[in-house]
Amino acid sequence: MNVRDLARRALAARYIWAVVAILILLAVNLVRDPGYLAVAVNPVTENLSGNLLDILRNAAPILMIAVGMCLVISTSGIDLSVGSVMAVSGAVSMELLSSADGAPSAAFTAILLALLVSTVIGVVNGLLVAVVGLQPFITTLVMMLAGRGIAKVITSGQNTTARNETFRWIANGHVLGFPVVILLALAVVLVVGLVVRRTALGLMIESIGINARASRMVGIKPRGLLITVYSVSGLLAGIAGLFTVSTVMTVDVSQTGSAMEMDAILAVVIGGTALAGGKFSLTGAVAGAFLIATLNKTVVFLGVPSSATPAFKAVVIIVICLIQSERVRGYVSSRRRVPATRAKEGVA
Amino acid sequence: MSERAPIVEMRDISIEFPGVKALDAVDFRLFPGEIHSLMGENGAGKSTLIKALTGVYRIDSGSITVAGEPQHFSGTSDAEKAGIATVYQEINLCTNLTIGENVMLGHEVRGRFGVNWKATNKVALEQLARLGLEGLDPTKPLASLSLAVQQLIAIARAMVIEPRVLVLDEPTSSLDAKEVESLFVILRRLRDEGVAILFVSHFLEQVYAISDRLTVLRNGQFEGEYPADLPRSVLISKMIGKELEAFRSIDMTAQASSAQRHEATILDAEGLGRKGSIMPTDISLQRGAVVGLAGLLGSGRTELARLLYGADKADTGTITLRGKRTTLGSPVAALDQRIAFSTENRRDEGIIGDLTVRENLVLAVQAKRGWMRPLPRKEQDRIVAKYIEELGVRPADPERLIKNLSGGNQQKVLLGRWLATEPEILILDEPTRGIDIGAKADIQETVLKLADEGVAVLFISSELDEVVRICERILVLKDREKIAEIENGPDVTSQTIVGIIADHGAVVEEVAS
Amino acid sequence: ACGNGDGSDGSTDAGDGGTADGDLVTVGFVAVGPEGAWRQANEQNIQDTFTEEAGYELKFAPAANLDQASQISAFTSFVDEGVDVILLSATEGSGWEDSLRRAQEAEIPVILIDRGIEPDDTSLYVSRIAPDNMEVSSAVAEWAVSEFPDGGRYFVLEGPAGVSVVNERNEGWDAVMDDQPQFERVGAQTANWSTEEARSVFETVLSSEGNDIDIVFAQNDEMGLGAALAAEAAGLQPGVDVQIATIDGTQNALEALAEGRLSFVAEYNPLFGETAMEVVEKVLAGEEVESYIIVPSETFDSPEAAQEALPNRQF
Amino acid sequence: MRSDHTAAVAETVEHQDAQRRRWGALRARLLQVNPSAMPTAAAIVLFVAMLVFGEVSYGGIFQSNTLSNLLINNAHLIIIAVGMTFVILTGGIDLSVGAVIAFSSVAGVMLANAGWNPWLVMVVMVAIGLLFGLVAGTLIEFFNVQPFIATLATMFLGRGLASMLSTTPERLADDSPIRLLSRRITLVDGPGVNDLELTAGGIIAVVVLLGGFFVLHRTRRGRTTYAIGGSENAASLMGLPVRSTKLMVYMVSGGLAGVAAVVYTSRLGIAQNITGTGWELDAIAAVVIGGTLLTGGAGYVLGSAVGALVLGLMNVLIVRDGGINPEMTTVITGAILLVFVLLQRGVTMRRSDL
Ligand SMILES: Nc1ncnc2c1ncn2[C@@H]1O[C@H](COP(=O)(O)OP(=O)(O)OP(=O)(O)O)[C@@H](O)[C@H]1O
Ligand SMILES: Nc1ncnc2c1ncn2[C@@H]1O[C@H](COP(=O)(O)OP(=O)(O)OP(=O)(O)O)[C@@H](O)[C@H]1O
Ligand SMILES: [Mg+2]
Ligand SMILES: [Mg+2]
């Protein structure tokens, strides 16, 4: 494995363009402020601080849901409920903490319960898709509506605030000056990555995403796999919810996690996983998540007016999509031939 | 004939896919009023040449002339406008639409209020009638048809535009003798009307029966253009690029296994049936025996096999496996019982297109082990290397996506997939479909070898010769019902079976065994 | 002469202003639904006021996703059904003329809660009861002017671009600030009314401005609290290094004010259910009512003021 | 005489026979209609069931004004649901419709206020929709961007451009001809406001629906749309104009979003950058409720219109109930949707299991 090989492999990966886009955005910010990339110890809080760390911290929840979404999309499904599950998880934990004392045990109970509820929602999604045979889009759309309602019911519509130092530490704590939440997020990603790639889970998920009928004939049980995948997505969305509410120790039932499903889907697709399902790239989803966090931060850093923000994002997305497209790449490296017809296979 | 100007002339055509030179400076000429067979092994580049002609693939170099004019088609529709109708190797129809629509899509009869469905279906039915399918109801969904009939539908579709050039890529791969004969009648008539026909098939008899001229490709290269009276042995050696030696084995193995009888029943099904697909049927399989299922299209062979594998649930009947009553509710259960089933529907139920050859090969083994116990990479490589070598998959690159393999090579990979599970019962539904003659012999040999090792094989094929050649017992199905079960012997030929099928109805009970 | 008292005959009684459901007056409340603490308090207050004991049947119709289209269809449905009075708490001020005209045709009086309509055609409704957004945000600006006589650098955390509250609160603030050249506007960003977004936005703003922000004008409490968290995380002390002013006056905000984390809270008083009921009663009795009843709102500019108000805080 | 009589009897018998045969054939045809029509049929049945349920529990559903308003208030949703059906039939999706409506209406009203001819303005509004569809279609077809992402991008673009034009409501003059589209035409004058009414907007919705049905079922383009949804690869190998058809469906969806913008703007008299947030999901839900498969290839545009009406009726019923806890409304909406798709699934499952 020499450097040339590595470089070639990297270029072949579709998510390379997400990385390039991140670098470009960072460069733009750097032009705006030469000290942008500096990471320094904050004299008051004695923790590391800097824009890069801010980006990483903000990427943590997106990272979680993007990883879950990546697996779901790979089975040729979709999970629109992740944003609402975030709200549910936040609501459960905040409601519990607001009526408890500030003891660490309360925090652990809250975390466990929140994750349990989130996973249950995921399981329900999975059952509806795999056993009842509903379409993933509509199933999770229903769950997106119902989930936000459930969050509101849990807090009786209030934006619940709570105090608990242990819980707050998740998103605000530091280990050796480094934000805990990033470490947690990366650890979760690593675990998921290892589980799907070191076992045959990933291969089987891809297989049912590409051709469910053929997979069944091979002896793969799509049902169990689908339920697992949706549950994992629910669980990860629950974690994302915890990350989000613990930053501000408030759950905002109508805002927490709202429209986050779009961010997650975008991250996954920019990371090179096709929405039609099949081969997935967790690394790509991670890169996509970082790109979205960087983009969000850049918009604010550059002071793009609120009214122009969506257009700005649109332009960035379109540009990335164009760069990723075979056609444009064909123009760039004109040596490669482009088949007149896409190799896209009609999915049965 | 050669004085006339060719209607299609392809010169110096090259196409390169990443890692494979699929076509390398190939020339091809097609004249009006001829049936021209394109010959070559699996992966020789036949389908690619056809797709180059119709513009599905863009050519890297070379020129295409149709009726004297240089052309650069950008897809089937362009080609159709120039009078070239094509039936591609993998049946490309829309299963969500009706039969009539599939025949007529893009050529619907239009009236004052848009498409006139009545007239459209009428024309569709006329086209179907030309192929002897007048019994079909054009308003029924296509999905209700078996693969073979779908293949005929695709041909009917191609003839709707009254083409000047008709391209048929392995149109007969799932047809039986009767259908082939009626297809040939039509092809001959079209030829006499001046249509140029490009024909691809791995059945030499068919090629010789219908062709006027041949073009042989080997490894993506042009081997030569010959009149159709080329001796078989010469043709074969041109295709495989070596002398015929390796080839003898086919005849030697013929009916070799019928010498001994096998008694060790491993699977015994009684009254196995499913409403609407197959009547209650008895079937038993023995260790070391190859049992054949013969019958015409839609006779229910596939259906029976699916019940044995648990792909469909049986409504009636019992299965006794190794002496124990079992129910096979799903493929998983069947795999656990060391049953393997290679489907006839390669594209929809076989290959997992976006996975590599390696992944496709090990998938069944992996599924048996469960996701928790991944097959170590070394083990995977061993299995893959073994079957790529044994079955002669080309290109022998395990990391290539299976969808980019030629049809025949995909079939070989699928066979490898099932062999890798080391089954005790192997159900093969049309395993040699689309396989070149060399490889076909290899596969037959493999099947016999497996039987010798004690595997019980259920062998389904539309090619009766093949069934007769390697099976020791043959079940004959007709209209989704078992009508006979015969012991193979020196006096049994494909004609015997045809006779049984034809006589059924006249003679009520056929002697069993 | 068949008496069906289950109310299914509502439509036939439409127009005669009578009370279809026995003695109860049917009030249709076209509401906004869960949006934040302020809205919650406001709508709960109205629901608690128009009770059956008080002689009302309140029909509550929250908007789906804050979408005006769903409010319009709820409104139409109330008209079709023939309720006695409609309370309209619009998500958006404009585009209501046709619906209001239809209510008029059906002789159903409409009372606007909180949000006014644009253009303000007072003939289309009976009365509007609301605190004044412009006034409230001007109060914040005036506080800023008095607190920073020499001026300063301020940043605005807004709601979603294009929502009328945002426009009004901007307008009220700008009306004051436009005459104060010593103030420098660093920028304005939306944080979608949300604490966590506000925190994220403000942390970036602080880093891009090198922590050099004097005043934050947060258009609701939630965003103000987010800004405070961001400031703390950056090692600043809110109230000392940066002053944060918010609108709404929810309990959380007053607590933060009492702790000194916020510097100024302008109340936007949601508790006017009683007033609304009085108006309804007058209207049904055929009396005249004022076309705009401004709900008085307070401002809190010190921890002490907050401490004092906290024990009786209902929202 | 006798023979005459017998002849007459025979004739009647024959006639009856023929009729019975015709009826039999019709029944048989109805029973064995394409199984893909089942979900749509289920949707229609369930819609009627909902109407009856509403009438029984709350009353005032089967009355002229409620029914008229159901159509008038949901005209814009029906229109975008028809467009969405085209896209979804090909297996794609269009998330941009809501944002396109926002941009098209804001731009339209601003142009009208700048003194442009109102009729021209309406054309421009539709053209803006077409343009957005063209952009999305181009991204999808020529640059191989996935529909979800391409239309997400055009959604951001539409919303962003609308916000850049104006963040305050843009008002249409009261006498603007655009407003005419929402003038209520009374068909049956009932007591009070209980009239059977119709607006030009409602008529447009019906016309769009019929047009959509015609295109999908009676033109080659329409059938190609279905074919693409069945298998895009097969459709292109069958020589169907896949590219232009895919471009077309996105333009249809965009163009109809433009039409919906005209209809909605006319009804409200204002245009705003935040109009239409989340409508894409409503439209998709309507299409799915109407029995169209999100994977494409099966479904009916009529079902989508029913789906849109179901959503509208659901809101009416929630309003009529009036006692639903606000926190619970989304849960209930979700639950009703779920029950709906479950029932539909139940019906179709039993059919296909036969
Ligand atoms: N889309 C593709 N991408 C990459 N390689 C391809 C593609 N299509 C075909 N090939 C390769 O091109 C070669 C020629 O394939 P082709 O399908 O033309 O063979 P064929 O002669 O039709 O064989 P068969 O008899 O098995 O159908 C094969 O090696 C195949 O792997
Ligand atoms: N996928 C399917 N869905 C519904 N009906 C089917 C399907 N496949 C086959 N059938 C029906 O079952 C009948 C039996 O088909 P089957 O495939 O078993 O025949 P066969 O004997 O295997 O012949 P061949 O496979 O060569 O066409 C067909 O005539 C067809 O009507
Ligand atoms: Mg081929
Ligand atoms: Mg078969």
Side-chain angles (χ1 to χ4, degrees), chain D residues 226-239:
Chain D
Y226 277 84
I228 292 172
S231 164
E232 186 175 339
N233 197 32
S236 87
L237 289 181
M238 281 165 97

Side-chain angles (χ1 to χ4, degrees), chain D residues 222-295:
Chain D
R223 298 326 288 169
T224 303
T225 308
Y226 277 84
I228 292 172
S231 164
E232 186 175 339
N233 197 32
S236 87
L237 289 181
M238 281 165 97
L240 300 173
V242 170
R243 289 208 153 177
S244 59
T245 305
K246 278 181 77 186
L247 257 186
M248 177 200 80
V249 296
Y250 289 95
M251 288 179 71
V252 165
S253 177
L256 287 181
V259 174
V262 173
V263 169
Y264 189 74
T265 308
S266 134
R267 191 149 71 80
L268 257 64
I270 56 145
Q272 233 180 324
N273 65 325
I274 53 173
T275 301
T277 316
W279 287 6
E280 56 282 350
L281 290 183
D282 288 346
I284 294 167
V287 171
V288 172
I289 288 175
T292 299
L293 275 183
L294 275 171
T295 39

Side-chain angles (χ1 to χ4, degrees), chain C residues 199-244:
Chain C
R199 178 186 160 150
S200 169
V201 167
F202 196 55
E203 111 195 331
T204 309
V205 170
L206 282 177
S207 88
S208 84
E209 298 302 324
N211 289 353
D212 183 17
I213 305 272
D214 300 317
I215 309 167
V216 176
F217 169 39
Q219 292 187 346
N220 77 349
D221 286 346
E222 279 89 351
M223 294 193 292
L225 293 170
L229 286 170
E232 283 161 6
L236 302 179
Q237 194 180 345
V240 177
D241 301 319
V242 51
Q243 312 274 342
I244 302 169

Side-chain angles (χ1 to χ4, degrees), chain D residues 135-152:
Chain D
V135 171
T138 310
L139 281 176
I140 292 163
E141 218 19 65
F142 293 95
F143 296 99
N144 222 349
V145 181
Q146 305 182 45
F148 196 100
I149 301 307
T151 57
L152 189 68

Side-chain angles (χ1 to χ4, degrees), chain A residues 339 343, chain B residues 15-18 20-23 39-51 57 89-90 169-170 200 202 217 220 346 394-395 400-410 412 434-436:
Chain B
I15 286 188
E16 189 174 352
F17 294 111
V20 181
K21 191 122 197 182
L23 292 178
M39 304 295 296
E41 290 181 294
N42 292 137
K46 304 180 292 295
S47 301
T48 306
L49 186 70
I50 287 170
K51 289 188 173 169
Y57 293 148
Q89 181 172 10
E90 302 296 339
D169 194 354
E170 299 199 26
V200 179
H202 289 292
L217 298 182
R346 176 166 71 217
R394 255 168 294 157
R400 181 167 286 266
L401 295 187
I402 193 169
K403 70 175 180 192
N404 290 341
L405 252 55
S406 80
N409 283 303
Q410 290 178 1
K412 293 179 199 166
I435 296 253
D436 67 45

